Amino acid sequence: MNLLNKYSQLASKLLIALSLTIASAAYAGPGHGEEKPTTAQTQSLPRFYAESDLYEAVGVINGKEITLYLDRYSSNELVKGAKVEIELEGSKISSEPHGDGEYLFRLKNKIKDQPTAITITINDDDVTDILAATIDLSSFERSSLITWKSAIKILLYFSLLMAIAYFSYRKKEVLMTHTKKLIKQIKERV
C-alpha cells in the first residue's frame, strides 16, 4: 500500500508539473505571430463620436494617428472617396487614403490628456458638412498586458512549480528508483 501511495503522489506531482508547463506554453499574449487584434484590444483605444443630419463619424486614436470611420447618418452606408479634413489644436490635417469609409490622419504630436475640440470637414461631391466633437483622453483607461490579477496567478504558478521542483530534487533517488521499477513493469507487460 505504501508503494501505491508513493506512486499516486508521484503521478499527481508529474500531472501538475505537466499541466503548468502546457498552460504556460500555450499562453503567448498579444503580438505573437500574425494575429489580428481582438475586440477587447481594439476597444481599449480612445475614441470619439460626431454626427450631423447627413453623416456620422467615429474616430479611433492610436498614438499619433486617428482613423476616422465615416458613414451616412440615414442609411449607415460607407462614405467613399470624400475629401475629409480635421482641425485639431489650431492645425488642419488632410486625410490619407485608408479604405472604404476609413480616413487616416497622421498627427505631429500626441493629443493631450485634456478635453480637446476637433472639427471634421467633409467634402463629398457637391455636399459640404462640418461635424464637431470633443476628445477627452482622461476618460479612457490605460490598459496593460499584465494586470495585477494575472501577475498574482503567474506568481502562484511559479511558486507551485518551484515547490514541486524542490521536493522532486530532494527525493530524486526515490523518484529514480520508482521510475526504473515502473519502466521495468511496463516492459514486462509488453
Side-chain angles (χ1 to χ4, degrees):
M1 191 66 165
N2 191 17
L3 183 62
L4 181 61
N5 189 18
K6 288 182 181 181
Y7 278 127
S8 66
Q9 287 177 353
L10 174 65
S12 65
K13 288 178 185 178
L14 289 175
L15 183 62
I16 290 171
L18 181 64
S19 66
L20 288 174
T21 303
I22 291 171
S24 64
Y27 177 73
H32 295 275
E34 296 298 323
E35 62 189 28
K36 294 184 178 180
T38 62
T39 304
Q41 290 170 335
T42 56
Q43 287 181 350
S44 66
L45 293 174
R47 52 191 69 229
F48 62 91
Y49 176 78
E51 69 179 32
S52 70
D53 293 339
L54 300 174
Y55 301 103
E56 63 182 343
V58 175
V60 178
I61 303 164
N62 189 5
K64 292 183 179 182
E65 293 183 348
I66 295 178
T67 304
L68 190 75
Y69 299 93
L70 185 64
D71 61 46
R72 299 192 192 290
Y73 186 79
S74 60
S75 65
N76 274 352
E77 175 189 353
L78 297 176
V79 178
K80 302 175 186 177
K83 182 181 177 196
V84 181
E85 291 181 341
I86 61 171
E87 185 174 339
L88 183 69
E89 297 177 342
S91 61
K92 286 192 175 190
I93 305 165
S94 295
S95 65
E96 298 177 14
H98 196 323
D100 290 342
E102 296 179 20
Y103 300 88
L104 180 67
F105 301 91
R106 298 191 193 277
L107 309 176
K108 292 178 185 175
N109 300 314
K110 286 188 175 184
I111 298 172
K112 298 174 185 159
D113 281 342
Q114 62 189 21
T116 305
I118 184 169
T119 305
I120 306 163
T121 305
I122 304 164
N123 291 316
D124 185 23
D125 293 331
D126 58 343
V127 176
T128 300
D129 199 5
I130 297 175
L131 287 71
T134 301
I135 301 170
D136 188 6
L137 297 181
S138 63
S139 64
F140 289 92
E141 261 186 46
R142 303 281 192 261
S143 65
S144 66
L145 296 177
I146 297 180
T147 62
W148 65 273
K149 289 180 181 181
S150 61
I152 289 174
K153 287 179 185 178
I154 290 170
L155 181 63
L156 288 174
Y157 284 139
F158 182 72
S159 300
L160 181 63
L161 185 60
M162 295 312 304
I164 291 170
Y166 173 74
F167 288 115
S168 298
Y169 179 74
R170 285 190 58 208
K171 301 284 185 177
K172 68 180 177 184
E173 298 298 326
V174 175
L175 290 173
M176 290 301 290
T177 305
H178 290 301
T179 305
K180 289 178 183 177
K181 286 181 184 177
L182 184 62
I183 291 172
K184 184 178 178 183
Q185 289 176 353
I186 290 172
K187 285 182 178 178
E188 290 174 356
R189 288 186 182 173
V190 175

